[in-house]
Amino acid sequence: MTDVKTTALVWISPSTWPACVDAARDRAPDDHVVLLHVGDDRIVEEAHRAYAGLLGRGHGPERDPGARLEAMAGVAGADLLEKAAHRLGRPCELLDRHGRPQEEVVRAAADVDLLICARDGDPDRPGPHSLGPESRFVVDHAPCPVLLVWPYRG
């Protein structure tokens, strides 16, 4: 008999991560857990572009707000992963990626047995509005089973 562990990928985002971590702890107690945070680079890219355009005339690259946003986003992602790992309360793998969140989550889910993510829409409105566009993409394209949880209210 082989002792093969299954892997649960948990998508950690700032507004919904506690419910996802709790679901992993409660519903996948023996799985290898990978906590995934994806930094959305679109805001940083826009800040770089704005600075390169009108805002950057006559100033050096050290004043580029995109560089500061990029550094702050990296720290925030690492902090969020550490909080999630602490809440999980057992060894896990931390994965911090950058790009379009929905595409990175689907890509990271390629070799896992379960993806845990949260609804991010309006909890009082059933139907299409219960998922945001990124979550909808992930649910529609994930190559594995998806456990979709409601974030805590209040």
Side-chain angles (χ1 to χ4, degrees):
M1 181 173 184
T2 60
D3 186 28
V4 178
K5 274 191 163 190
T6 55
T7 299
L9 177 68
V10 183
W11 181 15
I12 301 299
S13 66
S15 60
T16 60
W17 69 270
C20 295
V21 171
D22 291 349
R25 189 181 56 228
D26 298 341
R27 305 212 181 237
D30 299 321
D31 288 8
H32 170 70
V33 173
V34 179
L35 301 176
L36 169 67
H37 172 265
V38 182
D40 190 341
D41 292 338
R42 289 176 287 192
I43 296 170
V44 171
E45 290 169 8
E46 288 300 319
H48 281 305
R49 273 192 221 115
Y51 184 73
L54 292 175
L55 297 175
R57 290 186 179 172
H59 301 290
E62 68 280 355
R63 296 185 65 183
D64 180 359
R68 284 182 286 180
L69 278 174
E70 196 170 357
M72 291 182 342
V75 171
D79 286 349
L80 192 59
L81 283 169
E82 288 298 324
K83 286 180 187 174
H86 180 72
R87 187 176 183 109
L88 181 64
R90 68 179 203 239
C92 61
E93 183 180 341
L94 306 180
L95 192 57
D96 196 5
R97 291 190 174 176
H98 292 270
R100 298 179 68 88
Q102 64 272 31
E103 294 171 2
E104 291 299 319
V105 171
V106 169
R107 191 172 296 123
D111 296 321
V112 302
D113 302 290
L114 177 67
L115 169 63
I116 299 172
C117 58
R119 294 180 180 270
D120 55 358
D122 185 350
D124 297 324
R125 295 181 63 189
H129 297 287
S130 66
L131 289 176
E134 293 172 347
S135 296
R136 172 58 62 198
F137 182 92
V138 168
V139 168
D140 287 346
H141 298 285
C144 62
V146 177
L147 175 59
L148 188 60
V149 299
W150 276 114
Y152 293 116
R153 297 180 190 184

